[in-house]
Structures are given as structure tokens and as C-alpha cells.
Amino acid sequence: MSTDAGWRGATDGGADRIVLDETDSTMAEARRRAPELRAPAWIMARRQTAGHGRRGRAWVSPEGNFAATVVLPAAGVPAQAALRSFTASLALHEALLACGATTEALGLKWPNDVLLNGGKVAGILLESLPRGGVAIGVGVNLATAPGADDVEPGAVRPVALAEETGARVSPADFLAVLAPAFAEWESRFVTYGFSPVRDAWLARAARLGEPVTARLPTEAVTGTFETVDAAGQLVLRTAAGRRSIAAADVYF
């Protein structure tokens, strides 16, 4: 359940903005509120009591870090909705640049992480909504990063914007930068399709042209990260030939 901060407004990106003092998770809040939303809306919480990431993993989010979900009531067919992880990644890249990170320090990790100085500073989670549309959860370590015990073995180390750059940015100020950046990338995606989004993402991709390992439920595939295809799949060049992977956890 949630505790409202007592106000609701619009972001510079044109989307509605709902700010909560506390909720279990902004993704859960998005599912509860989705039936009443007719236009894109950002739901941000100052505190989460049960945040989660991909595959149900816990997402540790101390106060001062950013936790929000943007709801897109009309996101097209599921395959198109899934590509919003790329638009969200690009928007996060722009927002972090605006908040003190450098181009050289940032990288985008397939399928849904943002790296800062080689560590994970942000993650993205997509969920389809019961009546159509998609909810895109965004977590950013603005103030502090989780400890090593809070992530699984072999995962990219967590880092925080403040610890890596010295920049102190509040969640509200970060939303003010992120929302219009996301709105711009969403507009490009809707107008021009995935191709320009894909090109922009690849230009910022981490470990492109280098060996990576993709862990699937039944196997691990190691190969050279060659590209991302027109469907958003990871393409690896392996000893057995090219392999396209729709969903996996990638390890360096």
C-alpha cells in the first residue's frame, strides 16, 4: 500500500506525475493505478518497502535513491512494448549525463542496466499491464549503492552516482530530468520505429565487440557481443556460429 505525499502534477515531459512518501513498490503501485490512467504517468516513491528487479530479485533502494515507474497505457503489441527497455536506457543515459556523469564513464548493458565506471548504477524492469500497456520500473542508485551481500555472485558491482562522481541529486530533481528525456525517446520510437533507437543504444553499448556470457535458464552461451538485432535480441558470435538471444542475464 502507499502513502501519498499530498500532491500530483505534470512533468516537463508532458506526463502526469504522482509522488508518494512510501509504497511497497512503484511497479505494484502502477498495477493498482493503471485502470484509472489514460495517459502516460510517472509514479515515484521516496521509500519502497518491497522493491524488486528482474526474475523477482529484491531491489534494495535506500532513501535518497530513485525509485519510479512510468506507465504507458498504449504501448502497442507486446514485442513493441518490450523495446521500451532501450528507450528507457537512453533516457537514463541522458539524465545521468545531465546530473554529473561523463560520457566515458557511462555504458548501457543489455538488456536493461546502466553502468557507471563499470558498475551498475541503474536498472530497468518491464511488466505488461492486464488491460494492455506497459509499466517500466526504474531504479537508480543516486545516493548509495547496495553492498556486495545484496547482489548475486558474479553480478556487476553496484555503484552510486554520488559516490562515483560527487554529484548530489535528489530523486525529485532526477525525475525532472529523466521524464522529458524519456518523453523525447518515446516520441522518436513512436514516430520513426526502433531503428534509430537501436543505433543510438549500440553507440553507447558496454562491451560491444568483446566476449560476454549470456546465462539462460538451461544453458550459458559465451561469445563475442556482435550487435542487437531489429527485434532487440542480443546477437553473439560463438564457436558454433551466430546466436540470437531474446532474454538472458549477461555477465562480463
Short mmCIF file of all heavy atoms in Angstrom, two decimals, residues 26-72:
data_model
loop_
_atom_site.label_atom_id
_atom_site.label_comp_id
_atom_site.label_asym_id
_atom_site.label_seq_id
_atom_site.Cartn_x
_atom_site.Cartn_y
_atom_site.Cartn_z
N THR A 26 6.94 0.71 -6.64
CA THR A 26 6.27 1.55 -7.63
C THR A 26 5.66 0.71 -8.75
O THR A 26 4.68 1.13 -9.36
CB THR A 26 7.23 2.60 -8.22
OG1 THR A 26 8.34 1.95 -8.85
CG2 THR A 26 7.75 3.53 -7.13
N MET A 27 6.21 -0.47 -9.01
CA MET A 27 5.61 -1.36 -10.01
C MET A 27 4.25 -1.86 -9.53
O MET A 27 3.28 -1.90 -10.29
CB MET A 27 6.54 -2.54 -10.31
CG MET A 27 7.79 -2.16 -11.07
SD MET A 27 7.46 -1.55 -12.76
CE MET A 27 7.24 -3.09 -13.63
N ALA A 28 4.17 -2.25 -8.26
CA ALA A 28 2.89 -2.69 -7.70
C ALA A 28 1.90 -1.53 -7.70
O ALA A 28 0.71 -1.71 -7.99
CB ALA A 28 3.09 -3.24 -6.29
N GLU A 29 2.39 -0.35 -7.37
CA GLU A 29 1.53 0.84 -7.38
C GLU A 29 1.02 1.10 -8.79
O GLU A 29 -0.15 1.48 -8.99
CB GLU A 29 2.31 2.04 -6.87
CG GLU A 29 1.47 3.24 -6.53
CD GLU A 29 0.60 3.04 -5.29
OE1 GLU A 29 1.05 2.38 -4.34
OE2 GLU A 29 -0.54 3.57 -5.30
N ALA A 30 1.87 0.90 -9.79
CA ALA A 30 1.47 1.10 -11.18
C ALA A 30 0.35 0.13 -11.57
O ALA A 30 -0.61 0.51 -12.24
CB ALA A 30 2.67 0.92 -12.11
N ARG A 31 0.47 -1.12 -11.15
CA ARG A 31 -0.58 -2.10 -11.46
C ARG A 31 -1.90 -1.69 -10.82
O ARG A 31 -2.97 -1.84 -11.42
CB ARG A 31 -0.17 -3.49 -11.00
CG ARG A 31 0.95 -4.10 -11.82
CD ARG A 31 1.12 -5.58 -11.51
NE ARG A 31 1.54 -5.82 -10.14
CZ ARG A 31 2.80 -5.85 -9.74
NH1 ARG A 31 3.77 -5.64 -10.62
NH2 ARG A 31 3.11 -6.10 -8.47
N ARG A 32 -1.84 -1.19 -9.60
CA ARG A 32 -3.07 -0.79 -8.92
C ARG A 32 -3.72 0.42 -9.58
O ARG A 32 -4.95 0.53 -9.66
CB ARG A 32 -2.78 -0.49 -7.44
CG ARG A 32 -2.46 -1.71 -6.60
CD ARG A 32 -2.42 -1.38 -5.13
NE ARG A 32 -1.27 -0.58 -4.75
CZ ARG A 32 -0.12 -1.08 -4.29
NH1 ARG A 32 0.05 -2.40 -4.18
NH2 ARG A 32 0.87 -0.28 -3.93
N ARG A 33 -2.90 1.37 -10.03
CA ARG A 33 -3.43 2.62 -10.56
C ARG A 33 -3.68 2.58 -12.06
O ARG A 33 -4.36 3.47 -12.59
CB ARG A 33 -2.48 3.77 -10.23
CG ARG A 33 -2.37 4.08 -8.74
CD ARG A 33 -1.41 5.24 -8.51
NE ARG A 33 -1.24 5.53 -7.10
CZ ARG A 33 -1.69 6.64 -6.50
NH1 ARG A 33 -2.34 7.55 -7.19
NH2 ARG A 33 -1.48 6.83 -5.20
N ALA A 34 -3.14 1.59 -12.75
CA ALA A 34 -3.22 1.55 -14.22
C ALA A 34 -4.65 1.69 -14.75
O ALA A 34 -4.85 2.40 -15.76
CB ALA A 34 -2.58 0.27 -14.74
N PRO A 35 -5.66 1.05 -14.15
CA PRO A 35 -7.01 1.17 -14.72
C PRO A 35 -7.54 2.59 -14.79
O PRO A 35 -8.40 2.90 -15.63
CB PRO A 35 -7.87 0.30 -13.77
CG PRO A 35 -6.91 -0.70 -13.22
CD PRO A 35 -5.63 0.06 -13.05
N GLU A 36 -7.04 3.48 -13.95
CA GLU A 36 -7.53 4.86 -13.94
C GLU A 36 -6.70 5.79 -14.82
O GLU A 36 -7.05 6.96 -15.00
CB GLU A 36 -7.55 5.41 -12.51
CG GLU A 36 -6.15 5.64 -11.93
CD GLU A 36 -6.15 6.03 -10.47
OE1 GLU A 36 -6.78 5.32 -9.68
OE2 GLU A 36 -5.53 7.07 -10.15
N LEU A 37 -5.59 5.30 -15.36
CA LEU A 37 -4.69 6.14 -16.14
C LEU A 37 -5.03 6.06 -17.63
O LEU A 37 -5.12 4.98 -18.19
CB LEU A 37 -3.24 5.72 -15.91
CG LEU A 37 -2.72 5.85 -14.48
CD1 LEU A 37 -1.31 5.28 -14.37
CD2 LEU A 37 -2.76 7.29 -14.01
N ARG A 38 -5.19 7.20 -18.24
CA ARG A 38 -5.50 7.26 -19.68
C ARG A 38 -4.34 7.85 -20.49
O ARG A 38 -4.38 7.86 -21.71
CB ARG A 38 -6.76 8.10 -19.90
CG ARG A 38 -8.00 7.51 -19.24
CD ARG A 38 -8.41 6.21 -19.91
NE ARG A 38 -9.57 5.62 -19.27
CZ ARG A 38 -9.51 4.70 -18.32
NH1 ARG A 38 -8.32 4.29 -17.88
NH2 ARG A 38 -10.60 4.20 -17.78
N ALA A 39 -3.33 8.36 -19.80
CA ALA A 39 -2.17 8.97 -20.46
C ALA A 39 -0.92 8.54 -19.70
O ALA A 39 -1.01 8.05 -18.57
CB ALA A 39 -2.31 10.49 -20.47
N PRO A 40 0.26 8.69 -20.29
CA PRO A 40 1.49 8.32 -19.59
C PRO A 40 1.59 9.00 -18.23
O PRO A 40 1.21 10.17 -18.07
CB PRO A 40 2.59 8.79 -20.54
CG PRO A 40 1.95 8.73 -21.89
CD PRO A 40 0.53 9.15 -21.68
N ALA A 41 2.11 8.27 -17.24
CA ALA A 41 2.23 8.81 -15.89
C ALA A 41 3.45 8.22 -15.21
O ALA A 41 3.73 7.02 -15.34
CB ALA A 41 0.97 8.51 -15.08
N TRP A 42 4.16 9.05 -14.48
CA TRP A 42 5.28 8.62 -13.65
C TRP A 42 4.80 8.49 -12.21
O TRP A 42 4.14 9.40 -11.68
CB TRP A 42 6.42 9.63 -13.69
CG TRP A 42 7.26 9.56 -14.92
CD1 TRP A 42 7.08 10.25 -16.09
CD2 TRP A 42 8.42 8.74 -15.11
NE1 TRP A 42 8.05 9.92 -17.00
CE2 TRP A 42 8.89 8.99 -16.42
CE3 TRP A 42 9.10 7.83 -14.30
CZ2 TRP A 42 10.01 8.35 -16.94
CZ3 TRP A 42 10.22 7.20 -14.82
CH2 TRP A 42 10.67 7.46 -16.12
N ILE A 43 5.13 7.39 -11.58
CA ILE A 43 4.84 7.17 -10.16
C ILE A 43 6.17 7.02 -9.44
O ILE A 43 6.93 6.09 -9.71
CB ILE A 43 3.98 5.90 -9.96
CG1 ILE A 43 2.66 6.02 -10.74
CG2 ILE A 43 3.72 5.66 -8.48
CD1 ILE A 43 1.88 4.72 -10.82
N MET A 44 6.47 7.96 -8.55
CA MET A 44 7.74 7.94 -7.83
C MET A 44 7.48 7.80 -6.33
O MET A 44 6.51 8.36 -5.81
CB MET A 44 8.52 9.23 -8.08
CG MET A 44 9.95 9.20 -7.55
SD MET A 44 10.77 10.82 -7.61
CE MET A 44 10.22 11.52 -6.06
N ALA A 45 8.32 7.03 -5.65
CA ALA A 45 8.20 6.88 -4.20
C ALA A 45 9.52 7.26 -3.54
O ALA A 45 10.59 6.89 -4.02
CB ALA A 45 7.84 5.44 -3.85
N ARG A 46 9.42 7.97 -2.44
CA ARG A 46 10.63 8.31 -1.69
C ARG A 46 11.18 7.10 -0.96
O ARG A 46 12.38 7.00 -0.73
CB ARG A 46 10.32 9.44 -0.71
CG ARG A 46 9.94 10.76 -1.41
CD ARG A 46 9.85 11.91 -0.41
NE ARG A 46 9.56 13.16 -1.11
CZ ARG A 46 8.34 13.64 -1.31
NH1 ARG A 46 7.29 12.95 -0.88
NH2 ARG A 46 8.15 14.78 -1.94
N ARG A 47 10.28 6.18 -0.59
CA ARG A 47 10.71 4.93 0.05
C ARG A 47 9.92 3.77 -0.52
O ARG A 47 8.71 3.88 -0.74
CB ARG A 47 10.47 4.99 1.58
CG ARG A 47 11.36 5.96 2.32
CD ARG A 47 11.08 5.93 3.82
NE ARG A 47 9.71 6.33 4.11
CZ ARG A 47 9.30 7.60 4.18
NH1 ARG A 47 10.16 8.59 3.97
NH2 ARG A 47 8.05 7.89 4.46
N GLN A 48 10.61 2.64 -0.76
CA GLN A 48 9.99 1.39 -1.16
C GLN A 48 10.24 0.35 -0.07
O GLN A 48 11.36 0.24 0.42
CB GLN A 48 10.57 0.86 -2.48
CG GLN A 48 10.13 1.61 -3.71
CD GLN A 48 10.51 0.86 -4.97
OE1 GLN A 48 9.69 0.66 -5.84
NE2 GLN A 48 11.77 0.46 -5.08
N THR A 49 9.21 -0.41 0.28
CA THR A 49 9.39 -1.44 1.30
C THR A 49 9.55 -2.83 0.70
O THR A 49 9.96 -3.76 1.40
CB THR A 49 8.18 -1.46 2.26
OG1 THR A 49 6.98 -1.71 1.51
CG2 THR A 49 8.05 -0.12 2.98
N ALA A 50 9.23 -2.99 -0.59
CA ALA A 50 9.33 -4.31 -1.22
C ALA A 50 9.67 -4.18 -2.69
O ALA A 50 9.02 -4.78 -3.56
CB ALA A 50 8.02 -5.09 -1.04
N GLY A 51 10.69 -3.38 -3.00
CA GLY A 51 11.11 -3.22 -4.39
C GLY A 51 11.68 -4.52 -4.94
O GLY A 51 12.22 -5.35 -4.21
N HIS A 52 11.54 -4.71 -6.25
CA HIS A 52 12.09 -5.91 -6.88
C HIS A 52 12.57 -5.61 -8.28
O HIS A 52 12.17 -4.64 -8.90
CB HIS A 52 11.06 -7.04 -6.91
CG HIS A 52 9.88 -6.76 -7.81
ND1 HIS A 52 8.83 -5.95 -7.43
CD2 HIS A 52 9.60 -7.19 -9.07
CE1 HIS A 52 7.95 -5.89 -8.42
NE2 HIS A 52 8.39 -6.63 -9.42
N GLY A 53 13.47 -6.47 -8.75
CA GLY A 53 14.02 -6.34 -10.08
C GLY A 53 13.59 -7.50 -10.96
O GLY A 53 12.55 -8.13 -10.74
N ARG A 54 14.41 -7.82 -11.96
CA ARG A 54 14.09 -8.91 -12.87
C ARG A 54 14.08 -10.25 -12.13
O ARG A 54 14.81 -10.46 -11.19
CB ARG A 54 15.10 -8.97 -14.03
CG ARG A 54 15.06 -7.77 -14.95
CD ARG A 54 16.07 -7.90 -16.07
NE ARG A 54 15.70 -8.94 -17.02
CZ ARG A 54 16.48 -9.95 -17.37
NH1 ARG A 54 17.65 -10.10 -16.79
NH2 ARG A 54 16.07 -10.83 -18.26
N ARG A 55 13.21 -11.15 -12.61
CA ARG A 55 13.07 -12.51 -12.07
C ARG A 55 12.78 -12.50 -10.57
O ARG A 55 13.15 -13.43 -9.84
CB ARG A 55 14.33 -13.34 -12.36
CG ARG A 55 14.72 -13.35 -13.84
CD ARG A 55 15.87 -14.28 -14.11
NE ARG A 55 16.42 -14.09 -15.44
CZ ARG A 55 15.92 -14.61 -16.56
NH1 ARG A 55 14.83 -15.34 -16.50
NH2 ARG A 55 16.50 -14.39 -17.73
N GLY A 56 12.10 -11.44 -10.10
CA GLY A 56 11.68 -11.37 -8.72
C GLY A 56 12.77 -11.06 -7.72
O GLY A 56 12.55 -11.12 -6.51
N ARG A 57 13.97 -10.71 -8.21
CA ARG A 57 15.06 -10.41 -7.28
C ARG A 57 14.76 -9.12 -6.51
O ARG A 57 14.20 -8.18 -7.04
CB ARG A 57 16.37 -10.24 -8.06
CG ARG A 57 16.80 -11.48 -8.83
CD ARG A 57 18.08 -11.21 -9.59
NE ARG A 57 18.48 -12.35 -10.39
CZ ARG A 57 18.71 -12.32 -11.70
NH1 ARG A 57 18.58 -11.19 -12.35
NH2 ARG A 57 19.07 -13.41 -12.34
N ALA A 58 15.17 -9.11 -5.25
CA ALA A 58 14.97 -7.91 -4.44
C ALA A 58 15.79 -6.76 -5.00
O ALA A 58 16.92 -6.95 -5.46
CB ALA A 58 15.37 -8.20 -3.00
N TRP A 59 15.22 -5.57 -4.97
CA TRP A 59 15.94 -4.35 -5.36
C TRP A 59 16.05 -3.48 -4.12
O TRP A 59 15.06 -2.97 -3.61
CB TRP A 59 15.21 -3.61 -6.48
CG TRP A 59 15.90 -2.33 -6.87
CD1 TRP A 59 15.69 -1.08 -6.35
CD2 TRP A 59 16.94 -2.16 -7.84
NE1 TRP A 59 16.52 -0.16 -6.93
CE2 TRP A 59 17.30 -0.79 -7.86
CE3 TRP A 59 17.60 -3.05 -8.71
CZ2 TRP A 59 18.29 -0.29 -8.70
CZ3 TRP A 59 18.59 -2.54 -9.54
CH2 TRP A 59 18.91 -1.17 -9.54
N VAL A 60 17.26 -3.36 -3.60
CA VAL A 60 17.50 -2.58 -2.40
C VAL A 60 17.56 -1.11 -2.77
O VAL A 60 18.35 -0.70 -3.61
CB VAL A 60 18.81 -3.03 -1.71
CG1 VAL A 60 19.06 -2.20 -0.46
CG2 VAL A 60 18.75 -4.52 -1.38
N SER A 61 16.69 -0.30 -2.14
CA SER A 61 16.60 1.11 -2.51
C SER A 61 16.52 1.99 -1.27
O SER A 61 15.44 2.36 -0.82
CB SER A 61 15.37 1.34 -3.39
OG SER A 61 15.28 2.68 -3.82
N PRO A 62 17.67 2.32 -0.68
CA PRO A 62 17.67 3.20 0.50
C PRO A 62 17.10 4.57 0.14
O PRO A 62 17.11 5.00 -1.01
CB PRO A 62 19.15 3.31 0.86
CG PRO A 62 19.81 2.16 0.17
CD PRO A 62 19.01 1.91 -1.06
N GLU A 63 16.59 5.26 1.15
CA GLU A 63 16.06 6.60 0.93
C GLU A 63 17.17 7.49 0.37
O GLU A 63 18.32 7.43 0.80
CB GLU A 63 15.53 7.17 2.24
CG GLU A 63 14.70 8.42 2.05
CD GLU A 63 13.89 8.79 3.27
OE1 GLU A 63 13.91 8.02 4.25
OE2 GLU A 63 13.23 9.84 3.24
N GLY A 64 16.81 8.28 -0.61
CA GLY A 64 17.78 9.12 -1.31
C GLY A 64 18.10 8.59 -2.69
O GLY A 64 18.59 9.33 -3.55
N ASN A 65 17.79 7.29 -2.92
CA ASN A 65 17.92 6.73 -4.26
C ASN A 65 16.61 6.93 -5.02
O ASN A 65 15.58 7.28 -4.44
CB ASN A 65 18.29 5.25 -4.19
CG ASN A 65 19.74 5.04 -3.81
OD1 ASN A 65 20.51 5.99 -3.69
ND2 ASN A 65 20.12 3.79 -3.60
N PHE A 66 16.65 6.68 -6.31
CA PHE A 66 15.50 6.94 -7.18
C PHE A 66 14.74 5.65 -7.45
O PHE A 66 15.31 4.65 -7.88
CB PHE A 66 15.98 7.54 -8.50
CG PHE A 66 14.88 7.90 -9.47
CD1 PHE A 66 14.16 9.08 -9.30
CD2 PHE A 66 14.56 7.07 -10.53
CE1 PHE A 66 13.14 9.42 -10.20
CE2 PHE A 66 13.57 7.39 -11.43
CZ PHE A 66 12.85 8.57 -11.26
N ALA A 67 13.44 5.68 -7.20
CA ALA A 67 12.56 4.54 -7.49
C ALA A 67 11.28 5.07 -8.11
O ALA A 67 10.54 5.84 -7.48
CB ALA A 67 12.25 3.76 -6.22
N ALA A 68 11.03 4.71 -9.36
CA ALA A 68 9.85 5.21 -10.05
C ALA A 68 9.43 4.23 -11.15
O ALA A 68 10.22 3.39 -11.59
CB ALA A 68 10.11 6.59 -10.66
N THR A 69 8.19 4.36 -11.55
CA THR A 69 7.66 3.57 -12.66
C THR A 69 6.89 4.50 -13.58
O THR A 69 6.10 5.32 -13.11
CB THR A 69 6.73 2.45 -12.17
OG1 THR A 69 7.50 1.50 -11.42
CG2 THR A 69 6.06 1.72 -13.33
N VAL A 70 7.14 4.37 -14.87
CA VAL A 70 6.34 5.12 -15.84
C VAL A 70 5.35 4.15 -16.47
O VAL A 70 5.72 3.03 -16.88
CB VAL A 70 7.22 5.82 -16.90
CG1 VAL A 70 8.07 4.83 -17.69
CG2 VAL A 70 6.35 6.64 -17.85
N VAL A 71 4.10 4.56 -16.52
CA VAL A 71 3.04 3.75 -17.10
C VAL A 71 2.71 4.29 -18.49
O VAL A 71 2.42 5.48 -18.64
CB VAL A 71 1.78 3.77 -16.22
CG1 VAL A 71 0.66 2.95 -16.86
CG2 VAL A 71 2.10 3.22 -14.82
N LEU A 72 2.77 3.41 -19.48
CA LEU A 72 2.36 3.76 -20.84
C LEU A 72 1.09 2.97 -21.13
O LEU A 72 1.15 1.77 -21.43
CB LEU A 72 3.45 3.41 -21.85
CG LEU A 72 4.81 4.08 -21.67
CD1 LEU A 72 5.77 3.62 -22.76
CD2 LEU A 72 4.68 5.59 -21.67
#
